[in-house]
Amino acid sequence: MEKRASKWIVCLLTALAIITMFSISSFADPTHIRIEAVTGIGYAVDWVTINYRDGAGNNQRIHRESNIALGQTADFTVPDGATDIVLEAKPLGVVGGTRIFNNLRLTSGRDYCFELKGTLYHPSYTSITCSWVPRGRISVFDNSLNSNVGLKRVKVEVRNKSGTSTIGTAYTDDNGSFTLSRSVSGQVQYKLVFEDAAGLKVKWGANSHAESVKFESAEGPLNHVFRESDRKSWYWATLYNACQFYKDFARQDGIPVKADAQVCGYYEDGISRTPMTGIQDIVFRRYTNNTSSEIFANVMHEMAHVTHAQVDRGGYASFVGSWGLVNSLRAAFGESWACGPEAIFTRRRYNPTGNELARYQDLPLSTFTYARWTIEGDHLYVEPIVVDLMDNYNQRDANNEYPIDRVSGYTLRQIANALRDAHNMDDWKNNLKRVNNPTNVYLDEYFNQYFESRAVRTATNTIINIKAVTGTGYAVDWVEVNYTAANGRNEHIIRDRNIPLGQEATITVPDGATNIRIEAKPLASLRDTRIFNNLSLTSGRSHCFHLKGSVNNPRYERVNCGF
C-alpha cells in the first residue's frame, strides 16, 4: 500500500513540474506592442495605458502620457511572465469616454503591431504584420520569345504605406528577383525605378529622373509582369532590359560601355539617335508596332555607338558631325561599326544555339556599295563589315555577286579598339592592319570592293548573258553596259539590236574593267521603263540573266551560267 502511494506521489510531482515548466515557457518571452498614428487619420494619441499581472501575481501598469503624433510610432514592452494584458488609448482632443482599443486583451509573449484608423470620435485600429521582408520578382513580356523575362538590375524602392518616405531600396538580380535587406511592419508601397546601381537611366526627354511605376500599397511580395497593354511601362521595361543585356554582352566581349548612360525613350516613332550629350546619350523612337526583338536590335545598334564614344570621344564626335552628309565616309564607318554588335548581340539573345555571325551572308555586294547609297540619298551602311572581319566564311564562294571575304579571325574587342583615332573608313581599316592577324593582307581587297572607284582590276573578261525568255510579254529594245577601262577612261558598250523572245545575247567587257553597270529597255515600253535599274556587276565574272515580268513592269532573274 505504501509503495502504491509512493508511486502516486511521484506521478503527481512530475505532473506539477511539467505544468510549471509549461507555464513558465508560455510566458518566458516579453510582449512587444507597437502603435502607429498613421498620417491622415485626423487625430493623434493622447495617452496609452497597458495593465497586466506580473509573474508574482501583482497588478502592474505601463502608462504613456506623451502624445503619439501623426506619422509617428510608439513601442511598448510588457515583461516576460505577464498575464491578463489589457491595452487602451485615448485620441487627443476627444471629449468624453471615447477610446481606441476598448480594453483589448492581448496574449502574453507575442508581438502586436497596430495602425490607427478612423476619426476623432470614431477611432479604430488594424492589426498588421509586425515583421516581414519585402521581396518579389519583376518581369517584362517578350513578344518575340512569347515568354516573361526577368527585369535585370532595376531599382525597387520600398516606401511606407502612403508613399511619403522611403524605407529601403533593393535591386533585382539577373532573373528579376529582389529582397529588401531589412524587415518592415504593415503595408508598404513598391516603386519601380528604371535605373540601375551604376546610374543608367531610362527616362523621357531631357528629364533628370528615371521613369518609374508605383504599385498599390500591400502587405506581401510584389510579383509583376509588364505587358504590351501597359504601353509606356512595357516600352520602358523593354528598353531598359535591352540596355542591361548590352552591358552583359559588352562585358563578355571586352568592349567598353558607358555605365551611367542616359537613355531617353520618346513615345513616338522615328529615327533613333545617339548624341552622347550626357543628358541625352541615346534617344529612342520605337514606340508603336515594334516587336521586342526589333526594339532589342535598335538598342544594340545605338548602344554600339555609345561604345564607339567610349573608345574615342573625338572620333565619335567627328562621326556625329557627319550626320546628314550623304557622301561622308565618316558617317559610313560609324554606322558600319554599329551594325556589327546589332547583328551579333541580337542573334546571341534570340537565337542562342545558332551561329551568331550568320548574318548578312546572303546579300549581293551591290546592296552595300557607296554609289548605290549615294544615289538613294542616305549614309553608307556597310552592314557586313564587323561580321565579315570575325567569321571564316567567304560569301563569294557561294555566289559571285556576294562580297569577297578573305578576312577572318578578328575579335569584337579588336575591331572596337581599331575605332580609336579613326575618322573614316580608311583610318579604321589601317588601324585593323596593325592587329596581329595573318588575314590582314586582305583588308584592302575587302574594304575597297564597296567603293567602285577602288575596285580591284581583274585579268579576266566579264561575260554578260541576257535571255528574253519566251512568255515574258516583251522583247528587249536595247542594252547598254558602262564601265571604267583599265586605262581609267569611262567606256560603254551599246547593243541597239532587239533581243526577240526566246533568244539571248552575250556581251563581253574587257579584262581590267571596273565599275561595271548594266541597263536595258523593253521594246515598246514607256519612255523611262528600265529592266536592270543601273545594276552594278563584279568584274572578271560571268553574269547570266533571264528576263521576266511585263513590258511596263519588267524584272530579271539571276541564273547559273553553265559556261
Side-chain angles (χ1 to χ4, degrees):
M1 186 71 178
E2 291 179 0
K3 290 182 178 180
R4 185 177 298 175
S6 176
K7 289 182 178 179
W8 279 107
I9 291 171
V10 171
C11 290
L12 180 61
L13 291 173
T14 302
L16 287 172
I18 293 173
I19 291 171
T20 301
M21 290 173 61
F22 178 76
S23 176
I24 293 172
S25 65
S26 297
F27 309 117
D29 294 326
T31 303
H32 299 287
I33 303 167
R34 171 172 290 178
I35 300 171
E36 180 179 1
V38 180
T39 302
I41 59 176
Y43 64 92
V45 178
D46 189 359
W47 52 256
V48 176
T49 297
I50 303 170
N51 294 296
Y52 65 94
R53 193 184 303 274
D54 65 19
N58 300 314
N59 291 328
Q60 300 291 347
R61 186 184 195 196
I62 298 173
H63 185 73
R64 174 186 167 119
E65 270 301 336
S66 58
N67 300 342
I68 305 175
L70 291 177
Q72 294 186 1
T73 61
D75 293 298
F76 305 88
T77 300
V78 180
D80 58 306
T83 59
D84 298 331
I85 303 172
V86 178
L87 172 66
E88 193 52 273
K90 175 181 176 291
L92 181 64
V94 73
V95 177
T98 302
R99 299 293 182 266
I100 298 171
F101 294 100
N102 297 311
N103 290 323
L104 179 66
R105 300 187 71 84
L106 305 178
T107 302
S108 301
R110 290 181 52 187
D111 293 339
Y112 292 90
C113 292
F114 302 100
E115 280 187 356
L116 302 187
K117 301 172 63 178
T119 59
L120 182 63
Y121 285 98
H122 294 89
S124 60
Y125 64 89
T126 299
S127 294
I128 61 175
T129 303
C130 284
S131 180
W132 64 279
V133 178
R135 55 172 50 89
R137 185 172 189 266
I138 311 297
S139 305
V140 57
F141 180 71
D142 189 308
N143 57 25
S144 297
L145 296 175
N146 195 31
S147 64
N148 300 330
V149 178
L151 201 55
K152 293 170 171 276
R153 303 185 286 274
V154 70
K155 180 192 287 187
V156 182
E157 293 180 355
V158 179
R159 300 188 163 201
N160 63 359
K161 180 181 177 180
S162 59
T164 56
S165 64
T166 301
I167 298 170
T169 298
Y171 290 89
T172 62
D173 59 19
D174 285 353
N175 297 314
S177 299
F178 70 93
T179 301
L180 194 65
S181 61
R182 54 161 291 185
S183 61
V184 300
S185 61
Q187 292 186 344
V188 298
Q189 182 186 94
Y190 293 99
K191 179 182 178 182
L192 186 108
V193 184
F194 292 99
E195 177 179 354
D196 66 16
L200 181 144
K201 298 177 184 178
V202 170
K203 57 187 186 177
W204 187 87
N207 290 339
S208 61
H209 62 272
E211 292 297 334
S212 60
V213 179
K214 295 179 181 178
F215 299 90
E216 292 185 4
S217 298
E219 188 176 287
L222 173 66
N223 293 296
H224 184 78
V225 179
F226 290 107
R227 301 192 179 278
E228 292 170 278
S229 56
D230 297 324
R231 294 299 302 277
K232 292 180 180 178
S233 300
W234 180 83
Y235 180 54
W236 298 331
T238 301
L239 286 175
Y240 181 88
N241 230 26
C243 290
Q244 296 302 321
F245 271 103
Y246 187 91
K247 280 190 170 185
D248 291 343
F249 293 159
R251 185 166 50 252
Q252 291 173 19
D253 285 81
I255 62 175
V257 65
K258 187 180 181 183
D260 60 348
Q262 303 300 289
V263 179
C264 307
Y266 282 87
Y267 314 135
E268 59 189 41
D269 295 315
I271 298 175
S272 298
R273 300 287 192 192
T274 307
M276 291 298 296
T277 63
I279 299 174
Q280 291 182 312
D281 291 324
I282 308 177
V283 176
F284 286 108
R285 291 184 170 90
R286 296 297 293 267
Y287 186 51
T288 59
N289 301 320
N290 289 281
T291 65
S292 298
S293 59
E294 288 171 340
I295 294 174
F296 189 94
N298 191 211
V299 172
M300 297 304 102
H301 185 96
E302 300 305 325
M303 287 291 282
H305 286 318
V306 174
T307 291
H308 187 172
Q310 294 300 104
V311 171
D312 183 0
R313 185 61 190 238
Y316 184 76
S318 176
F319 157 67
V320 171
S322 70
W323 282 346
L325 304 177
V326 172
N327 296 325
S328 173
L329 298 186
R330 288 183 291 168
F333 96 106
E335 295 296 353
S336 301
W337 149 254
C339 290
E342 173 191 349
I344 296 167
F345 291 168
T346 302
R347 287 188 64 86
R348 187 179 298 179
R349 175 75 185 110
Y350 287 93
N351 187 21
T353 60
N355 177 9
E356 63 185 37
L357 300 179
R359 180 77 186 275
Y360 310 125
Q361 305 287 20
D362 56 355
L363 296 172
L365 171 64
S366 59
T367 306
F368 310 107
T369 57
Y370 181 65
R372 170 179 173 168
W373 286 81
T374 302
I375 290 170
E376 294 182 0
D378 206 344
H379 296 308
L380 173 63
Y381 284 62
V382 186
E383 294 170 321
I385 280 184
V386 173
V387 169
D388 283 346
L389 292 172
M390 298 174 68
D391 68 14
N392 59 0
Y393 176 69
N394 186 356
Q395 301 96 295
R396 180 58 64 85
D397 292 337
N399 189 306
N400 63 16
E401 291 306 309
Y402 293 174
I404 301 172
D405 176 19
R406 294 195 283 180
V407 184
S408 64
Y410 282 91
T411 67
L412 197 60
R413 182 177 183 177
Q414 291 170 336
I415 298 169
N417 286 339
L419 295 167
R420 185 174 290 110
D421 297 325
H423 296 272
N424 54 45
M425 295 283 276
D426 288 332
D427 290 343
W428 192 23
K429 175 189 68 178
N430 291 332
N431 288 343
L432 286 166
K433 287 181 179 180
R434 299 187 182 97
V435 176
N436 183 19
N437 183 315
T439 67
N440 62 15
V441 295
Y442 299 113
L443 284 170
D444 283 326
E445 174 188 74
Y446 180 80
F447 274 77
N448 289 344
Q449 67 186 317
Y450 296 105
F451 303 91
E452 291 82 351
S453 61
R454 307 179 185 179
V456 178
R457 304 186 187 282
T458 65
T460 308
N461 293 339
T462 302
I463 309 299
I464 305 170
N465 181 270
I466 302 170
K467 182 175 182 179
V469 180
T470 301
T472 57
Y474 64 92
V476 177
D477 188 358
W478 52 258
V479 177
E480 181 174 358
V481 178
N482 292 285
Y483 62 94
T484 302
N487 59 11
R489 295 175 55 183
N490 292 327
E491 303 286 356
H492 63 268
I493 300 171
I494 298 178
R495 176 191 166 103
D496 275 327
R497 302 187 309 278
N498 297 347
I499 306 176
L501 291 176
Q503 294 189 16
E504 60 186 61
T506 300
I507 298 172
T508 300
V509 181
D511 61 300
T514 59
N515 197 19
I516 303 171
R517 294 187 174 275
I518 184 173
E519 194 50 274
K521 178 181 180 297
L523 183 64
S525 66
L526 296 175
R527 178 184 300 176
D528 296 326
T529 303
R530 298 293 184 266
I531 299 173
F532 293 101
N533 296 311
N534 206 30
L535 179 66
S536 177
L537 303 178
T538 303
S539 303
R541 298 280 179 170
S542 296
H543 305 273
C544 296
F545 304 95
H546 282 178
L547 303 187
K548 304 171 65 176
S550 58
V551 64
N552 287 310
N553 187 27
R555 290 177 290 123
Y556 65 88
E557 176 185 25
R558 290 183 178 273
V559 297
N560 291 327
C561 290
F563 56 78

